[in-house]
């Protein structure tokens, strides 16, 4: 009992986990061609995280520096999202969100600034029309309209928050689009672009779009580095280089809409039947990893249980061995202190 109290006091004042990624919803108004939600739409479970359950999860979390509100859906579809943000900030935690940008209105942009959300990331996968083809029912134009609205209210309130990022998925067939996007970004208040290849492949057709560290991509990255000296934006590449997961799954975790804990979004898809994904041109049945539930247990209990300990010891022999992320590492084009975004397929 005394040791438990000492442990809780320690975790209260010393951050152990980098972030907790919590899923506000699995609903989405987009139909991105690479997203499991689109490919597995016939077996997809659509659900919102309730405010009551979010508060229970938040109450069971400690020693976490940041809450990242993103999962397999568009966060702004959850009508209780802003109260979740408010409650999170009351706990003195950093908070980040990833969005497709389609639902950002004047009122929402204003609230994001007033609530002092720390980071907001907008997802893209191509430049202009190419993005809109790949990320169906989303809009390249709307993303930058959203960024301008946020900048407007940041200036009005003389605020530095939220810091704006771009989460960019690098497709092989349009890899040069990245150059045009970076040039375009110089006109907007964007702090960083995080670039990563497609890491979860839900259909065989998408295998041809996965980028490896081939010479032409390395050379292209070096060219962007030189050009970036003029643009002055942080470019953070996540590329296939060594055996390492960029999500730092040993210091972070994912919580889905009903409180289940998993290492990352890719290891806990909201599907009701078995589905197939692809890795290096081979098909695999998806098997979820569930390591506990933060609606009924506190984080320390979940983290300390047998199955979580076993996962941390042997994750490279579990689901992760057939995940492209295990073969990725962070390859910074510039030294940056702003990279808090958990990488994902969103």
């Amino acid at each position: 009992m005394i040791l438990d109290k000492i442990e809780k006091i320690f975790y209260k004042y010393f951050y152990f986990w980098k972030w907790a990624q919590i899923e506000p919803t699995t609903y989405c108004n987009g139909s991105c061609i690479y997203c499991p939600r689109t490919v597995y739409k016939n077996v997809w479970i659509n659900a919102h995280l309730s405010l009551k359950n979010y508060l229970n999860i938040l109450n069971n979390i400690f020693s976490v520096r940041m809450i990242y509100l993103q999962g397999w859906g568009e966060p702004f579809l959850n009508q209780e999202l802003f109260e979740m943000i408010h409650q999170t900030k009351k706990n003195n935690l950093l908070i980040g969100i990833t969005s497709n940008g389609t639902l950002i209105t004047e009122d929402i942009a204003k609230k994001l600034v007033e609530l002092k959300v720390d980071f907001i990331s907008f997802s893209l996968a191509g430049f202009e029309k190419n993005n809109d083809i790949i990320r169906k029912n989303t809009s390249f134009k709307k993303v930058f309209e959203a960024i301008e609205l946020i900048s407007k209210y940041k200036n009005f309130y003389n605020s530095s928050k939220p810091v704006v990022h771009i989460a960019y998925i690098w497709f092989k067939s349009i890899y040069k689009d990245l150059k045009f996007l970076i040039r375009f970004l110089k006109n907007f208040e964007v702090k960083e672009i995080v670039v990563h290849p497609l890491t979860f492949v839900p259909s065989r057709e998408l295998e041809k779009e996965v980028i490896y560290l081939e010479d032409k991509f390395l050379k292209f990255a070096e060219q962007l580095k030189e050009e970036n000296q003029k643009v002055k934006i942080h470019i953070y590449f996540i590329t296939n280089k060594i055996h390492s997961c960029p999500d730092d799954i040993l210091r972070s975790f994912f919580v889905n809409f009903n409180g289940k804990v998993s290492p990352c979004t890719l290891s806990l898809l909201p599907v009701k039947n078995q589905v197939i994904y692809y890795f290096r041109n081979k098909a695999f049945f998806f098997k979820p990893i569930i390591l506990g539930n933060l609606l009924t247990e506190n984080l320390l209990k979940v983290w300390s249980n047998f199955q979580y300990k076993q996962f941390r010891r042997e994750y490279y022999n579990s689901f992760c061995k057939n995940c492209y992320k295990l073969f990725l590492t962070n390859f910074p084009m510039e030294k940056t202190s702003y990279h808090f975004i958990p990488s994902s397929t969103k």
Side-chain angles (χ1 to χ4, degrees), residues 34 124-126 134 167-179 181-182 193-199 206 208-222 224 235-240 331 333 344:
Y34 57 87
L124 292 172
I134 292 172
Y168 187 87
I169 298 187
W170 208 13
F171 275 69
K172 185 178 284 188
S173 62
I174 54 167
Y175 77 95
K176 290 185 178 179
D177 272 25
L178 185 56
K179 178 186 290 188
L181 175 63
I182 291 170
I193 176 170
V194 179
V195 182
H196 59 91
L198 191 63
T199 52
L206 288 167
K208 64 180 182 295
E209 294 290 359
V210 179
I211 288 179
Y212 292 96
L213 270 187
E214 300 166 35
D215 285 345
K216 73 174 181 179
F217 299 118
L218 287 173
K219 289 178 182 178
F220 184 74
E222 286 302 318
L224 289 181
I235 309 175
Y236 205 92
F237 270 73
I238 300 177
T239 53
N240 300 66
F331 180 66
M333 300 293 290
S344 79

Side-chain angles (χ1 to χ4, degrees), residues 69-102:
L69 288 170
Q70 181 232 344
W72 286 112
E74 169 53 42
F76 292 102
L77 286 171
N78 188 323
Q79 298 299 308
E80 296 182 300
L81 182 72
F82 284 105
E83 185 58 29
M84 292 178 187
I85 294 170
H86 174 66
Q87 294 297 325
T88 306
K89 296 302 287 187
K90 279 177 64 176
N91 281 269
N92 296 315
L93 296 169
L94 295 173
I95 191 159
I97 301 172
T98 293
S99 170
N100 62 30
T102 58

Side-chain angles (χ1 to χ4, degrees), residues 230-296:
K230 299 177 182 177
V231 178
K232 299 297 181 184
I233 182 171
H234 296 284
I235 309 175
Y236 205 92
F237 270 73
I238 300 177
T239 53
N240 300 66
K241 196 174 182 184
I242 60 172
H243 245 51
S244 176
C245 178
D247 274 357
D248 205 351
I249 55 175
L250 303 183
R251 295 288 302 279
S252 63
F253 55 93
F254 170 64
V255 187
N256 82 343
F257 67 93
N258 59 8
K260 292 177 181 177
V261 178
S262 196
C264 73
T265 53
L266 302 187
S267 56
L268 191 54
L269 299 175
V271 289
K272 54 190 173 186
N273 292 325
Q274 201 165 50
V275 294
I276 293 174
Y277 69 100
Y278 296 85
F279 177 73
R280 294 187 169 177
N281 295 309
K282 293 182 180 179
F284 297 89
F285 286 111
F286 175 77
K287 295 179 181 178
I289 300 175
I290 300 171
L291 300 169
N293 194 308
L294 287 177
L295 291 179
T296 57

